[in-house]
Amino acid sequence: MKAKVLVPVLIAVVAVVAFFVGAQFRSAPETVEEVALSEPPPEPEPPAEPARAAHTHPPQRSATPASSPAASSPEPASAPARSAEPPRRAEPPRPRPPALVSVRVAEGTKIVFALDEALSTKTHRAGDSFSGVVSQPVQIGGRVIIPEGSVVRGTVARSKRAGRIRGRAEMDLRLEQLELPDGQVFDLVATLTELDESEKETLGEEGEIIGQGSKKRDVATIGGGAGIGAAIGAIAGGGGKGAATGAGVGAAAGTAAVLLTRGRDIKFERGSQLALQLDRALTVKVRR
């Protein structure tokens, strides 16, 4: 019974509340519009004057220096990488030069050489040079140390022609240098010790060359003149007195011929064989 009475009451209450809420929603926009119309429009504000600075200062420069154009400019692009070079071919190993050893050529060693040109007291004076070629190799221990073809050089130290009455020709040779075919050059201290067998000159104690004497030739010249004179005198004078007179005249003529003729000059032909002896040892480099 009570439930039936409460239900209509609740429905009535809900209806009244709904009515008032709807009325509030309908009247709210009109109130807002009326308020907006009733307010006067706002006045425009005057333009603001620029503020005057109390003191004008020049713009201060920044303590930090401006960046240089080079720094600001973009960095250049790096060069393109080169392509890898092809591997080089390995060169074959070069042959090593043969090892050299030093060999001592003792003092007293004999070296035979042949003259490159004729040598004479008639044509050569002191200071003239001469040369020769080694004609016999020098061996030590079965190994050739100074080969054939090496060159001997020297200078004429003194050249004296024979006198007209007496005195023989003399010549001194100074042996100065020895050059091997491989280019090694040595200063020589040596003495001439032998002459060609075909030559009639002799060597003095100091190695000087002494020419052949002309005594026999002079005697023959004088004697020949005397004999010819005697024969002519005998024929012309008819006897011994004429022969004696002719002999004297012939001898005088022969003597005059001797006085007008020099003694024999020293002369060595090209290719003449001479020999020297070392007065100081040499040290020669040879291949092993």
Side-chain angles (χ1 to χ4, degrees):
M1 187 64 180
K2 289 181 179 182
K4 292 181 179 180
V5 173
L6 289 175
V7 169
V9 173
L10 290 174
I11 294 172
V13 172
V14 170
V16 171
V17 171
F19 175 78
F20 279 104
V21 171
Q24 289 292 332
F25 279 103
R26 286 193 300 268
S27 61
E30 294 178 358
T31 303
V32 173
E33 185 179 356
E34 289 176 358
V35 172
L37 293 174
S38 63
E39 291 181 356
E43 296 181 359
E45 296 182 358
E49 295 182 0
R52 295 181 180 179
H55 299 283
T56 304
H57 297 282
Q60 297 181 356
R61 296 181 180 179
S62 174
T64 305
S67 59
S68 61
S72 60
S73 61
E75 296 183 357
S78 58
R82 296 181 178 179
S83 59
E85 296 182 358
R88 296 181 179 179
R89 295 182 179 178
E91 296 182 358
R94 296 180 180 179
R96 294 182 179 180
L100 301 177
V101 295
S102 297
V103 178
R104 185 175 183 270
V105 183
E107 177 183 347
T109 300
K110 174 183 173 182
I111 301 176
V112 180
F113 63 97
L115 291 174
D116 284 335
E117 59 182 339
L119 196 61
S120 171
T121 53
K122 184 177 181 180
T123 57
H124 288 74
R125 298 290 179 266
D128 291 345
S129 60
F130 70 93
S131 63
V133 178
V134 174
S135 55
Q136 297 179 14
V138 177
Q139 299 185 12
I140 297 177
R143 175 186 295 174
V144 175
I145 306 302
I146 301 177
E148 185 177 352
S150 301
V151 179
V152 176
R153 296 187 179 92
T155 303
V156 176
R158 185 169 67 97
S159 178
K160 174 189 172 184
R161 301 191 70 183
R164 297 184 185 277
I165 299 176
R166 60 181 180 179
R168 299 184 180 187
E170 296 181 3
M171 177 179 281
D172 289 340
L173 301 180
R174 184 165 54 243
L175 303 161
E176 299 174 327
Q177 194 178 78
L178 173 67
E179 182 176 357
L180 304 186
D182 62 1
Q184 295 184 75
V185 179
F186 304 93
D187 293 330
L188 287 178
V189 179
T191 303
L192 193 66
T193 55
E194 294 182 18
L195 302 178
D196 198 305
E197 295 179 354
S198 62
E199 304 296 339
K200 296 181 180 181
E201 287 78 7
T202 58
L203 286 172
E205 295 180 358
E206 302 297 328
E208 70 275 16
I209 304 171
I210 301 173
Q212 182 182 3
S214 59
K215 184 176 181 179
K216 293 181 179 180
R217 186 197 64 179
D218 296 343
V219 170
T221 301
I222 295 172
I228 294 173
I232 295 174
I235 296 173
K241 186 177 180 179
T245 303
V249 174
T255 302
V258 169
L259 294 175
L260 294 175
T261 305
R262 284 186 177 275
R264 298 179 185 274
D265 280 304
I266 295 173
K267 184 177 182 180
F268 296 103
E269 299 293 342
R270 179 181 179 182
S272 296
Q273 301 283 323
L274 307 179
L276 62 86
Q277 177 179 296
L278 295 178
D279 295 333
R280 185 177 66 188
L282 302 176
T283 301
V284 181
K285 293 183 178 180
V286 296
R287 297 181 180 180
R288 286 185 181 275

